[in-house]
């Protein structure tokens, strides 16, 4: 494969993939090179990491949020099921 200039579209795909598993050496190097030269993609990466952290924190505390008596039991169960299906 080797070192090559990648597009922002490719970089965004690699940023997303890197959150779930380790990238192969050349993909990681290509992404790091792109991030050093691009003004937009590092911001996208920070936002994506922040969003993921916030969602994970919310999911970890879902029982606290779902204890609100204004939600029906059926609604709470639907939300819990959706969170379980969405969790990484």
């Amino acid at each position: 494969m080797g070192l090559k200039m990648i597009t922002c579209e490719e970089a965004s795909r690699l940023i997303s993939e890197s959150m779930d598993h380790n990238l192969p050496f050349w993909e990681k190097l290509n992404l790091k090179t792109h991030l050093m030269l691009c003004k937009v993609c590092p911001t996208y990466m920070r936002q994506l990491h922040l969003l993921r952290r916030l969602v994970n924190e919310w999911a970890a505390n879902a029982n606290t949020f779902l204890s609100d008596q204004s939600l029906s039991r059926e609604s709470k169960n639907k939300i819990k099921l959706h969170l379980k299906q969405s969790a990484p």
Side-chain angles (χ1 to χ4, degrees):
M1 182 166 179
L3 186 62
K4 66 175 188 169
M5 288 304 301
I6 60 173
T7 65
C8 290
E9 184 176 350
E10 291 171 296
S12 65
R13 180 185 60 80
L14 292 174
I15 290 167
S16 294
E17 285 183 24
S18 71
M19 294 178 73
D20 295 324
H21 63 273
N22 288 330
L23 296 175
F25 174 78
W26 287 110
E27 285 184 344
K28 192 181 298 186
L29 189 58
N30 287 331
L31 176 59
K32 285 184 179 188
T33 302
H34 180 88
L35 291 172
M36 287 189 299
L37 300 173
C38 182
K39 293 180 180 180
V40 177
C41 289
T43 301
Y44 170 74
M45 185 172 73
R46 284 189 302 276
Q47 291 172 339
L48 198 58
H49 281 284
L50 174 62
L51 183 59
R52 185 178 182 128
R53 183 178 59 83
L54 292 173
V55 168
N56 286 336
E57 286 176 13
W58 188 90
N61 297 308
N63 287 335
T64 302
F65 297 118
L66 296 177
S67 66
D68 183 351
Q69 297 301 317
S70 63
L71 290 174
S72 69
R73 175 172 277 153
E74 181 183 350
S75 295
K76 291 177 186 179
N77 288 335
K78 285 181 181 179
I79 291 171
K80 285 180 182 179
L81 178 64
H82 182 70
L83 287 172
K84 286 180 183 177
Q85 292 172 346
S86 301

